[in-house]
Amino acid sequence: MYFHKIRQFLRFYGGAVTKYQLHSPIVASVARALIQDRRWYYAFQDVEVIRRKMRRSDVQLHFTDFGAGQASGQRSLQQIVRRSASSRRQGQRLFRLANWLQPQSMLELGSSVGISTMYLASAARTARFITLEGCADCAAIARANLDILGLKNVEVRSGEFDTTLRPALTELAPVDLVYLDGNHRQAPTLAYFELCLAAAQPTTVFVFDDVYWSPEMTAAWQEIQNHARVTTTVDFFDLSLAFITPDFREKQHFRIVPYWWKLWKFY
């Protein structure tokens, strides 16, 4: 999987553009929000303080994995944080995305111990937010972390997505922001995407994590890009966005990196 991710990054980087090659106002706005906005928010520090504490914790959890990640069994909290939680860059990009979109409703598939959840909830404190987590012990940690930050607009539900997803979609519909990070297999990812589409509206933004994690996930991302309802995708490698808005008249796919990654591209 590591060799696949390296190969995919080289392909991604080779085909990526910077802000200077973006002519779509919506895509340019997304790029500004996620990778050009250098503003620092207090929420970043709040979440990272909790991350550091968890990375030093030897608390043992019964880790249950319904996806294609780690095997189920006993895991220390620090192991789960190191292997499963969103990175600081991912978290900050999720915050900036939610801050830019200002959604009224959000759905997350895969809370883990709540790192990404805290970033999203901190950016949209008035949004109705449901996050789903298969591992009951991880869900309990996520709830505790949200309580520490006083993020009361989030409901953490534990259980398999096949059981929890439909009720959450029924309650949230129409959902404005969907973050899929809970099952790194092709068939479930596509199935959950289809279910979420039924509760979407034209302005809904779908966010995918780890589309280059494995050949299977990359194939899933390619199918999503080719989906009849997807009008545009914007790929930042560690986070990938799919739009279904009819404002895009032609199906387009963008790979975007910060301009300082390709300083020679000023045209």
Side-chain angles (χ1 to χ4, degrees), residues 236-247:
F236 299 100
F237 194 78
D238 55 352
L239 288 178
S240 305
L241 281 57
F243 295 82
I244 60 173
T245 174
D247 291 345

Side-chain angles (χ1 to χ4, degrees), residues 173-193:
V175 62
D176 296 321
L177 175 62
V178 180
Y179 179 40
L180 293 96
D181 182 30
N183 192 315
H184 294 88
R185 292 179 295 167
Q186 182 177 1
T189 297
L190 294 173
Y192 299 147
F193 175 59

Side-chain angles (χ1 to χ4, degrees), residues 99-144:
N99 189 50
W100 171 77
L101 187 64
Q102 283 301 299
Q104 297 300 307
S105 58
M106 298 191 293
L107 174 67
E108 178 183 37
L109 282 73
S111 323
S112 185
V113 292
I115 297 292
S116 57
T117 313
M118 289 185 285
Y119 272 113
L120 285 167
S122 296
R125 290 176 178 264
T126 61
R128 174 82 166 95
F129 187 5
I130 297 176
T131 180
L132 310 178
E133 172 54 42
C135 173
D137 283 7
C138 288
I141 296 295
R143 291 188 193 99

Side-chain angles (χ1 to χ4, degrees), residues 206-228:
F206 292 88
V207 187
F208 299 86
D209 178 45
D210 284 337
V211 300
Y212 300 108
W213 186 76
S214 67
E216 193 173 357
M217 281 300 294
T218 303
W221 176 235
Q222 290 170 348
E223 287 197 47
I224 290 163
Q225 288 180 308
N226 294 326
H227 194 284

